[in-house]
């Protein structure tokens, strides 16, 4: 049955993402990965996973279309919604398994990304390519990872495409918190790894949106601490840290610096906390923060 097939696919995807996570995170005393995946194996695995992702997205697309017709009754809607959620969980594990392989291989993953991932998922970064918010989230997460982990060449190649998705996600009132969080994270990675992709004007517009995410709700009252902290880190990377793309175009950084400090310490993501700690040290050295 369809349910049995989905359960089998889910079990395989869940196991694969666990294996790839363990391979990425387990290191010996010298910091070397104990089970480093090879480029050859990754290419074969990612090729199969992208076929499964395509199938999952096709099924989700059909379900979404089915749910928007006038002839669907409440029972049918509930059935479709349950199937949609099951496919969402499957999609998450499939995307995670690709992401962990990308992070493990870094720049060596670029040919796999360009040949197997960029084309089918790149068109899903914006709503013109899909009506499925989870498809946009999946594409955004993998492009975020590519810009962050695959080196300067990949960052400069794929940042402009990612930026299109980021801009739409931050301006779309229908974007959910997870998509906004992924877009904010992507903007931070573009700021650090491909700053030339950001024009001053677009950067200023996006900075205002990020500032509003940081300042509209105090950290202690935020419903989504991960989104809030991503926004704090992004604001620093955009305008406050040494080498930030907007650093020279904002003469008075006092308001931004105050909002940034109010968002510290970061507790959700160790890597982002370290970036912000290093950035804060730079801000102190540059006299942007008075520590007396």
């Amino acid at each position: 049955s369809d349910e049995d097939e989905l359960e089998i696919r889910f079990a395989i995807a869940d196991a694969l993402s666990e294996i790839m996570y363990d391979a990425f995170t387990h290191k010996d005393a010298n910091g070397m990965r104990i089970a480093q995946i090879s480029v050859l194996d990754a290419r074969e695995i990612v090729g199969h996973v992208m076929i499964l992702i395509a199938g999952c997205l096709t099924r989700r697309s059909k379900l979404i279309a089915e749910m928007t017709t006038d002839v669907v009754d409440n029972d049918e809607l509930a059935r479709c919604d349950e199937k949609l959620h099951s496919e969402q969980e499957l999609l998450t594990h499939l995307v995670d398994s690709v992401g962990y392989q990308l992070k493990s291989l870094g720049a060596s993953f670029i040919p796999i990304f360009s040949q197997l991932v960029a084309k089918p998922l790149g068109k899903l970064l914006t709503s013109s390519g899909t009506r499925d918010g989870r498809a946009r989230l999946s594409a955004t997460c993998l492009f975020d990872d590519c810009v962050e982990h695959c080196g300067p060449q990949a960052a400069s190649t794929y940042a402009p495409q990612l930026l299109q998705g980021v801009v739409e996600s931050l301006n779309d009132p229908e974007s959910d918190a997870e998509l906004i969080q992924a877009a904010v994270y992507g903007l931070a990675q573009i700021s650090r790894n491909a700053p030339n992709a950001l024009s001053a004007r677009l950067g200023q517009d996006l900075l205002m949106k990020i500032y509003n995410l940081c300042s509209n709700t105090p950290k202690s009252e935020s419903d989504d601490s991960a989104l809030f902290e991503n926004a704090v880190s992004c604001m620093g990377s955009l305008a406050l840290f040494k080498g930030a793309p907007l650093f020279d175009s904002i003469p008075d950084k006092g308001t931004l610096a105050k909002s940034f400090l109010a968002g510290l310490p970061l507790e959700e993501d160790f890597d982002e906390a370290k970036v912000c700690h290093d950035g804060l040290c730079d801000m102190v050295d540059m006299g942007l923060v008075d520590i007396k």
Side-chain angles (χ1 to χ4, degrees):
S1 68
D2 287 350
E3 284 77 9
D4 290 340
E5 275 191 31
L6 184 57
E7 277 189 27
I8 293 168
R9 283 194 292 262
F10 178 85
I12 293 170
D14 183 25
L16 183 60
S17 68
E18 286 287 335
I19 290 167
M20 293 307 159
Y21 172 77
D22 285 344
F24 170 59
T25 55
H26 281 77
K27 299 177 182 178
D28 63 20
N30 298 317
M32 300 296 290
R33 289 198 182 90
I34 295 168
Q36 174 65 57
I37 190 167
S38 70
V39 173
L40 205 61
D41 287 342
R43 179 183 292 279
E44 184 174 356
I45 293 167
V46 171
H48 289 302
V49 171
M50 290 307 298
I51 292 170
L52 293 173
I53 287 175
C56 181
L57 292 175
T58 298
R59 292 189 298 274
R60 282 183 58 85
S61 181
K62 288 177 180 175
L63 286 165
I64 291 168
E66 201 176 318
M67 292 170 78
T68 54
T69 61
D70 295 332
V71 294
V72 180
D73 60 28
N74 287 339
D75 288 343
E76 188 68 8
L77 267 178
R79 183 191 65 80
C80 288
D81 197 51
E82 186 178 338
K83 278 190 172 183
L84 209 55
H85 183 70
S86 296
E87 293 287 359
Q88 175 181 319
E89 291 185 327
L90 171 64
L91 181 62
T92 298
H93 288 309
L94 292 171
V95 170
D96 284 350
S97 72
V98 176
Y100 291 131
Q101 290 175 84
L102 179 157
K103 293 173 185 177
S104 292
L105 288 169
S108 301
F109 194 84
I110 295 175
I112 300 172
F113 190 88
S114 62
Q115 291 163 23
L116 299 176
V117 180
K119 189 172 181 181
L121 292 191
K123 62 187 178 185
L124 306 180
L125 287 166
T126 60
S127 59
S128 62
T130 180
R131 297 163 61 194
D132 184 355
R134 304 307 297 194
R136 285 174 64 188
L137 175 64
S138 299
T140 302
C141 287
L142 286 178
F143 271 73
D144 286 358
D145 287 345
C146 180
V147 170
E148 179 179 8
H149 294 282
C150 291
Q153 180 193 335
S156 61
T157 300
Y158 294 108
Q161 200 173 357
L162 173 59
L163 190 57
Q164 290 181 344
V166 166
V167 169
E168 182 172 321
S169 296
L170 292 178
N171 283 291
D172 185 352
E174 293 190 9
S175 295
D176 65 15
E178 282 187 86
L179 182 55
I180 294 171
Q181 182 182 331
V184 171
Y185 190 84
L187 181 57
Q189 298 312 320
I190 292 168
S191 301
R192 296 169 201 162
N193 300 301
N196 291 337
L198 269 174
S199 68
R201 181 172 180 179
L202 177 57
Q204 296 267 9
D205 289 345
L206 292 172
L207 177 61
M208 183 56 64
K209 292 187 179 298
I210 299 300
Y211 172 74
N212 287 338
L213 286 173
C214 296
S215 60
N216 284 350
T217 307
K219 182 176 182 179
S220 59
E221 298 172 21
S222 175
D223 292 333
D224 194 327
S225 54
L227 171 56
F228 178 87
E229 291 193 2
N230 273 12
V232 170
S233 182
C234 182
M235 182 167 60
S237 297
L238 264 175
L240 296 172
F241 300 162
K242 190 179 291 182
L246 300 180
F247 189 90
D248 293 331
S249 60
I250 301 172
D252 182 5
K253 301 177 181 64
T255 303
L256 294 176
K258 184 178 178 182
S259 179
F260 173 77
L261 290 172
L264 300 180
L266 301 193
E267 298 168 320
E268 296 287 329
D269 185 325
F270 175 80
D271 291 331
E272 289 302 297
K274 188 176 184 310
V275 167
C276 285
H277 175 269
D278 293 345
L280 177 59
C281 292
D282 287 341
M283 290 167 67
V284 171
D285 289 343
M286 292 182 290
L288 289 178
V289 176
D290 186 0
I291 57 173
K292 291 178 184 176

